[in-house]
Tab-separated table of all heavy atoms in Angstrom:
chain	number	residue	atom	x	y	z
B	4	LEU	N	57.127	14.814	-56.786
B	4	LEU	CA	56.883	13.710	-55.847
B	4	LEU	C	57.540	12.507	-56.224
B	4	LEU	O	58.046	11.729	-55.413
B	4	LEU	CB	55.313	13.492	-56.079
B	4	LEU	CG	54.361	14.485	-55.402
B	4	LEU	CD1	52.945	14.007	-55.563
B	4	LEU	CD2	54.740	14.638	-53.861
B	31	SER	N	52.296	13.240	-31.883
B	31	SER	CA	50.870	13.452	-31.993
B	31	SER	C	50.060	12.563	-30.988
B	31	SER	O	49.097	13.052	-30.375
B	31	SER	CB	50.411	13.077	-33.497
B	31	SER	OG	51.138	13.724	-34.432
B	36	LEU	N	46.851	11.964	-26.399
B	36	LEU	CA	46.533	11.250	-25.175
B	36	LEU	C	46.467	12.311	-23.951
B	36	LEU	O	45.536	12.139	-23.196
B	36	LEU	CB	47.595	10.178	-24.871
B	36	LEU	CG	47.529	8.938	-25.745
B	36	LEU	CD1	48.701	7.988	-25.391
B	36	LEU	CD2	46.043	8.260	-25.533
B	42	ALA	N	40.613	16.450	-21.314
B	42	ALA	CA	39.247	16.949	-21.799
B	42	ALA	C	38.213	15.990	-21.637
B	42	ALA	O	37.040	16.367	-21.388
B	42	ALA	CB	39.447	17.286	-23.222
B	59	VAL	N	33.601	25.412	-20.690
B	59	VAL	CA	33.393	24.815	-22.100
B	59	VAL	C	33.291	26.019	-23.072
B	59	VAL	O	34.032	26.016	-24.144
B	59	VAL	CB	32.216	23.845	-22.160
B	59	VAL	CG1	32.119	23.425	-23.651
B	59	VAL	CG2	32.364	22.728	-21.205
B	70	PRO	N	44.724	28.673	-32.775
B	70	PRO	CA	45.645	27.915	-33.699
B	70	PRO	C	46.254	28.735	-34.694
B	70	PRO	O	47.363	28.704	-35.037
B	70	PRO	CB	44.623	26.913	-34.299
B	70	PRO	CG	43.312	27.381	-34.072
B	70	PRO	CD	43.369	28.186	-32.799
B	71	THR	N	45.530	29.764	-35.065
B	71	THR	CA	46.053	30.520	-36.337
B	71	THR	C	47.288	31.463	-35.909
B	71	THR	O	48.402	31.234	-36.335
B	71	THR	CB	44.995	31.669	-36.818
B	71	THR	OG1	44.333	32.186	-35.750
B	71	THR	CG2	43.936	30.841	-37.606
B	72	LEU	N	47.069	32.289	-35.013
B	72	LEU	CA	48.221	33.235	-34.684
B	72	LEU	C	48.872	32.767	-33.371
B	72	LEU	O	50.083	32.607	-33.414
B	72	LEU	CB	47.539	34.641	-34.589
B	72	LEU	CG	48.579	35.814	-34.810
B	72	LEU	CD1	49.005	35.840	-36.260
B	72	LEU	CD2	47.910	37.047	-34.356
B	94	LEU	N	50.302	21.902	-28.942
B	94	LEU	CA	49.548	20.740	-29.479
B	94	LEU	C	48.404	20.258	-28.527
B	94	LEU	O	47.233	20.002	-28.977
B	94	LEU	CB	50.407	19.548	-29.879
B	94	LEU	CG	51.435	19.691	-31.005
B	94	LEU	CD1	52.159	18.451	-31.152
B	94	LEU	CD2	50.497	20.175	-32.291
B	98	ALA	N	44.248	20.510	-28.931
B	98	ALA	CA	43.405	19.309	-29.008
B	98	ALA	C	42.293	19.389	-28.004
B	98	ALA	O	41.278	18.600	-28.133
B	98	ALA	CB	44.290	17.986	-28.908
B	110	VAL	N	27.128	14.674	-24.111
B	110	VAL	CA	26.500	14.227	-22.926
B	110	VAL	C	25.250	15.081	-22.526
B	110	VAL	O	24.170	14.597	-22.138
B	110	VAL	CB	27.457	14.233	-21.786
B	110	VAL	CG1	26.784	13.920	-20.439
B	110	VAL	CG2	28.540	13.160	-22.045
B	135	VAL	N	24.569	4.785	-19.996
B	135	VAL	CA	23.666	5.373	-20.881
B	135	VAL	C	24.098	6.577	-21.621
B	135	VAL	O	24.164	6.706	-22.732
B	135	VAL	CB	22.285	5.828	-20.108
B	135	VAL	CG1	21.258	6.484	-21.053
B	135	VAL	CG2	21.696	4.555	-19.364
B	148	LEU	N	37.239	13.706	-30.830
B	148	LEU	CA	38.564	13.071	-30.899
B	148	LEU	C	39.126	13.142	-32.213
B	148	LEU	O	40.243	13.347	-32.450
B	148	LEU	CB	38.473	11.611	-30.332
B	148	LEU	CG	38.194	11.525	-28.915
B	148	LEU	CD1	37.972	10.005	-28.509
B	148	LEU	CD2	39.317	12.026	-28.040
B	154	GLN	N	43.745	17.763	-36.378
B	154	GLN	CA	44.476	19.062	-36.100
B	154	GLN	C	45.770	18.810	-35.488
B	154	GLN	O	46.774	19.462	-36.001
B	154	GLN	CB	43.607	19.791	-35.059
B	154	GLN	CG	42.375	20.422	-35.700
B	154	GLN	CD	42.056	21.728	-35.011
B	154	GLN	OE1	42.994	22.423	-34.487
B	154	GLN	NE2	40.776	22.037	-34.802
B	171	GLY	N	57.497	17.562	-40.386
B	171	GLY	CA	57.706	18.947	-40.606
B	171	GLY	C	59.211	19.143	-41.055
B	171	GLY	O	59.394	20.187	-41.754
B	173	TYR	N	60.888	17.802	-43.365
B	173	TYR	CA	60.836	17.864	-44.809
B	173	TYR	C	60.547	19.220	-45.320
B	173	TYR	O	61.196	19.875	-46.151
B	173	TYR	CB	60.144	16.760	-45.419
B	173	TYR	CG	60.645	15.323	-45.104
B	173	TYR	CD1	59.629	14.405	-44.665
B	173	TYR	CD2	61.904	14.943	-45.138
B	173	TYR	CE1	60.007	13.075	-44.389
B	173	TYR	CE2	62.269	13.687	-44.863
B	173	TYR	CZ	61.347	12.710	-44.459
B	173	TYR	OH	61.733	11.466	-44.107
Side-chain angles (χ1 to χ4, degrees):
Chain B
L4 284 181
S31 307
L36 285 179
V59 177
T71 46
L72 206 67
L94 287 184
V110 172
V135 180
L148 289 173
Q154 284 208 36
Y173 296 132

